[in-house]
Amino acid sequence: MLKGIAASSGIAIAKVYKLEEPKLTIVKKEADVDCELEKLNAGFEKTKADIELIKSRAAANLSAEELAIFDAHLMMANDPELKGQMKETIKNEHCNAEYAADSVGNMMVTMFENMEDAYFKERAADVRDVTFRLKCNLCGVTIPDLTTIDEQVVIVANDLTPSDTSQLNKKYTLGFATEIGGRTSHSAIMARSLEIPAVVGCKGIMETATMGQEIILDALNGEVILDPSEEQKKTYAKRAEEFAQERAALKVLVNEKSISTDGHVVDLAGNIGSPKDVDAVLSNGGEGVGLFRTEFLYMNSETDFPSEDEQFAAYKTVLEKMNGKRVVIRTLDIGGDKKLKYFTFPEEMNPFLGYRAVRFCLDRKDVFRVQLRALLRASVYGKLAIMFPMIATLKEFREAKGVYEEEKAKLMSEGVAVADNIEVGMMVEIPASAVLADQFAKEADFFSIGTNDLIQYTMAADRMSEKVSYLYQPLNPSILRLVKLAIDGAHSQGKWCGMCGEMAGDELAAPVLLGLGLDEFSMSATSILRARKMIRGLSYEKMKEMAEKALKLDTCEEVTELVKSVVGK
Ligand code: PEP
Ligand code: MG
């Protein structure tokens, strides 16, 4: 049995689908020219057919813009220059087709990489992808491809990128296990919004698991069993059934209030990464969207920052679907572990502490303004709240809000309708802003506490590192005190305070957060109903007393014990 971190609850029993790029060893060999030319032709034909097939399979899940990448690849596979040079190499050097494809491919990649023009520079990746597929076909090696999965599997990978997760077909992908990552890594967050079980940070899985092997993924306890016995399969099938029943039973709470036994009401909202995720928030009874991570719009874009119209369409869809319920949209939070295909971030020793989120936006106001205009234009379609991520100083908040005000004024002078009730707030995810929350609250309309980063920065523990994941301690009194500062700071100015980090959906943390006076809890859609059930069983007065005690304890273990003893977990 392998141990990892349970990142998205559930149990899956299926076959392993190992997502791993094949390693090719290509050596130059003397060969018959006609034979190799024929082989090369066949390789190109198969490559084109593969790309067509992948494109048609992906059509159901991807936008027109995302599909355009396949057209670029087809163009490359049809490029007479690429094939012509490979043919020349075979003829001149009497070598094997694999070698010709490899050497010409490498040469072309280097040539594109060295071009000045950004457009051509980006073509290097297309050449690499297409020639890699061609080489695999020439060598008779299959490339794992998520869109071709047509039986029930558990995906095993080193990590899954956002574009991998966007291709997952939930019908066949019963879960995934990754070698790296923690509870708040982005693949874990995506798994929760897709509602598929996941175990992350599962050390050794890539070395141990093989394609097609049977696997049990226990994402309730963070365990993986390979080649399970019949007995084990039976036991886990029963547990999976119980889990599904429990989930179904919670559905009666979809239209109920999130209210404590003594009448204190809070909002339970959902976190989303794309307009598609709104349906899960609504079907799980979400009272709003507490965090729309807009960076996925940017990360899924292939060649440039998404246009104002494209963003407008996404924000409008979410606002309309939520039908008057509050939607908190976070402005671009890029950098750290979140990269873009069309923009190269500077190399930094500590990217999580570097050029990211609002720091990037204040530096690249051209990019920032496009997003703000799209948001402002969409504001008339629902109840919009905008928040800036990674605010460390009041000066940053003022500057970001200043740009927002400028764009608002510009749009209004152009005669564009803009809502007059937009809230402009900020994330509290850097300890400096939590400490100074009462001051920030004079200028921000609301706070949303980003505990994934707040804990990482407070504990100085990289959220991507499983080695230091023991320092992810939402119940450590130091974290609770910072959370209290944020909540009290907001309330001192009559503002509301939410939380959109994973801590909001943590069953042991929620009672303490209720007691600390948190107004809005935003979490993965699948956690909402369980949280509602819990809050409906708790007394606010009792939780206030418990929170007071928790703040005075020494360790997270003591707080855990306290909560368990009071809430009866
Ligand atoms: C957070 O930091 O808690 C948060 C919600 O933002 P992200 O996980 O996207 O960094
Ligand atoms: Mg964050």
Side-chain angles (χ1 to χ4, degrees):
M1 182 199 295
L2 295 168
K3 282 294 273 178
I5 300 163
S8 173
S9 48
I11 289 175
I13 307 173
K15 282 190 180 150
V16 168
Y17 186 92
K18 203 164 170 191
L19 189 66
E20 186 179 38
E21 194 167 89
K23 291 181 190 66
L24 301 176
T25 355
I26 294 178
V27 283
K28 189 174 184 181
K29 285 188 207 143
E30 174 107 23
D32 177 77
V33 170
D34 289 338
C35 246
E36 295 307 304
L37 288 176
E38 212 170 288
K39 191 167 160 189
L40 184 73
N41 263 334
F44 265 100
E45 289 314 308
K46 168 117 179 53
T47 302
K48 285 188 265 182
D50 285 352
I51 302 171
E52 290 280 12
L53 186 68
I54 298 169
K55 183 183 167 193
S56 66
R57 282 182 172 145
N61 293 324
L62 303 183
S63 69
E65 214 223 340
E66 288 164 329
L67 286 173
I69 182 80
F70 298 110
D71 293 326
H73 284 190
L74 277 174
M75 226 160 81
M76 196 67 71
N78 279 310
D79 180 12
E81 178 70 19
L82 183 69
K83 192 169 168 189
Q85 289 211 28
M86 292 178 187
K87 279 180 166 171
E88 282 308 299
T89 309
I90 295 176
K91 285 184 203 157
N92 295 340
E93 303 187 26
H94 294 259
C95 63
N96 47 334
E98 296 88 333
Y99 174 78
D102 192 40
S103 67
V104 172
N106 291 343
M107 193 256 303
M108 291 271 211
V109 168
T110 316
M111 186 184 82
F112 278 112
E113 274 174 350
N114 289 333
M115 286 190 179
E116 282 294 310
D117 186 295
Y119 176 80
F120 285 112
K121 244 186 189 344
E122 281 146 18
R123 300 287 69 78
D126 294 338
V127 183
R128 197 178 297 113
D129 281 5
V130 172
T131 51
F132 181 69
R133 184 168 294 284
L134 173 68
K135 287 185 286 182
C136 286
N137 281 331
L138 292 171
C139 297
V141 171
T142 315
I143 304 178
D145 177 353
L146 296 177
T147 60
T148 60
I149 296 175
D150 56 4
E151 60 174 340
Q152 296 197 323
V153 296
V154 166
I155 293 172
V156 171
N158 187 48
D159 191 18
L160 288 174
T161 63
S163 76
D164 290 332
T165 41
S166 74
Q167 288 177 42
L168 295 182
N169 181 340
K170 271 178 64 179
K171 185 167 158 206
Y172 299 121
T173 306
L174 302 192
F176 66 74
T178 62
E179 180 85 20
I180 66 164
R183 237 196 96 74
T184 60
S185 62
H186 285 93
S187 51
I189 290 168
M190 288 300 277
R192 288 191 286 277
S193 72
L194 286 165
E195 305 189 16
I196 48 180
V199 174
V200 299
C202 188
K203 268 258 151 307
I205 185 100
M206 284 303 273
E207 212 180 286
T208 330
T210 53
M211 194 75 144
Q213 196 175 15
E214 278 197 291
I215 181 171
I216 293 178
L217 182 80
D218 174 1
L220 299 175
N221 298 304
E223 288 168 1
V224 168
I225 302 171
L226 291 165
D227 285 332
S229 65
E230 285 307 313
E231 192 65 27
Q232 283 173 314
K233 281 199 274 184
K234 242 195 240 154
T235 312
Y236 279 90
K238 191 159 166 269
R239 279 191 208 161
E241 178 62 31
E242 285 163 5
F243 180 73
Q245 278 170 4
E246 187 205 328
R247 208 169 242 184
L250 286 170
K251 290 281 177 192
V252 296
L253 295 176
V254 166
N255 295 315
E256 297 299 328
K257 273 190 174 172
S258 311
I259 185 168
S260 68
T261 52
D262 46 356
H264 179 75
V265 179
V266 294
D267 270 347
L268 293 187
N271 292 349
I272 62 168
S274 81
K276 279 197 298 231
D277 303 338
V278 175
D279 298 339
V281 173
L282 289 170
S283 65
N284 283 288
E287 287 156 320
V289 166
L291 168 65
F292 178 0
R293 289 185 164 92
T294 59
E295 62 269 21
F296 291 111
L297 285 176
Y298 291 72
M299 289 158 83
N300 288 334
S301 192
E302 289 294 332
T303 54
D304 203 352
F305 291 98
S307 68
E308 182 182 318
D309 283 347
E310 215 177 300
Q311 294 192 54
F312 165 74
Y315 306 148
K316 175 174 178 259
T317 307
V318 175
L319 284 159
E320 281 182 336
K321 278 191 174 180
M322 289 307 292
N323 197 19
K325 292 183 171 138
R326 187 195 282 129
V327 175
V328 182
I329 304 188
R330 172 171 80 183
T331 58
L332 180 59
D333 184 358
I334 202 72
D337 63 330
K338 295 176 263 185
K339 303 272 186 277
L340 299 173
K341 293 180 194 125
Y342 44 85
F343 177 84
T344 314
F345 283 88
E347 283 285 321
E348 291 178 300
M349 291 287 280
N350 295 297
F352 270 111
L353 302 180
Y355 184 60
R356 56 171 294 202
V358 80
R359 303 164 182 191
F360 169 81
C361 286
L362 291 179
D363 185 48
R364 285 294 307 266
K365 294 209 177 74
D366 53 328
V367 174
F368 193 32
R369 285 181 196 278
V370 172
Q371 181 169 39
L372 291 170
R373 287 175 71 86
L375 285 166
L376 283 156
R377 280 172 53 201
S379 65
V380 289
Y381 296 95
K383 188 172 179 197
L384 173 66
I386 297 175
M387 68 178 170
F388 308 124
M390 295 282 297
I391 293 283
T393 69
L394 256 162
K395 193 157 172 265
E396 284 173 332
F397 182 76
R398 285 178 190 147
E399 197 178 339
K401 191 159 176 198
V403 183
Y404 161 84
E405 295 292 357
E406 278 169 23
E407 289 310 317
K408 186 173 173 186
K410 260 192 247 165
L411 278 172
M412 288 170 74
S413 73
E414 288 164 22
V416 178
V418 172
D420 56 10
N421 60 347
I422 307 172
E423 294 172 288
V424 181
M426 56 180 267
M427 293 197 59
V428 174
E429 53 184 342
I430 295 181
S433 65
V435 171
L436 216 59
D438 52 342
Q439 316 275 65
F440 277 101
K442 290 181 189 149
E443 300 181 35
D445 293 332
F446 68 93
F447 292 152
S448 184
I449 309 175
T451 47
N452 306 339
D453 280 318
L454 185 66
I455 298 173
Q456 125 163 300
Y457 296 132
T458 307
M459 297 292 181
D462 187 340
R463 63 195 263 191
M464 290 300 285
S465 160
E466 57 284 354
K467 278 260 184 271
V468 296
S469 62
Y470 73 97
L471 286 167
Y472 176 74
Q473 297 182 359
L475 290 178
N476 189 297
S478 62
I479 302 298
L480 299 180
R481 288 188 189 193
L482 287 173
V483 167
K484 180 175 163 56
L485 281 174
I487 298 173
D488 290 353
H491 291 173
S492 72
Q493 299 299 324
K495 309 290 171 67
W496 61 271
C497 184
M499 179 179 286
C500 58
E502 294 304 312
M503 180 177 175
D506 183 317
E507 290 185 27
L508 285 175
V512 187
L513 297 171
L514 180 71
L516 289 173
L518 191 73
D519 302 295
E520 179 232 40
F521 298 58
S522 191
M523 57 192 76
S524 320
T526 44
S527 304
I528 294 175
L529 291 175
R530 202 166 309 125
R532 179 164 299 149
K533 182 170 178 213
M534 166 186 279
I535 284 169
R536 290 172 63 88
L538 296 174
S539 143
Y540 177 48
E541 283 308 318
K542 218 165 145 191
M543 291 310 109
K544 274 207 274 195
E545 274 170 37
M546 182 182 78
E548 277 307 317
K549 280 191 199 146
L551 290 164
K552 295 193 188 100
L553 293 175
D554 296 335
T555 63
C556 73
E557 288 79 10
E558 285 174 18
V559 178
T560 306
E561 279 317 306
L562 172 71
V563 178
K564 283 185 178 166
S565 69
V566 175
V567 177
K569 281 264 149 197

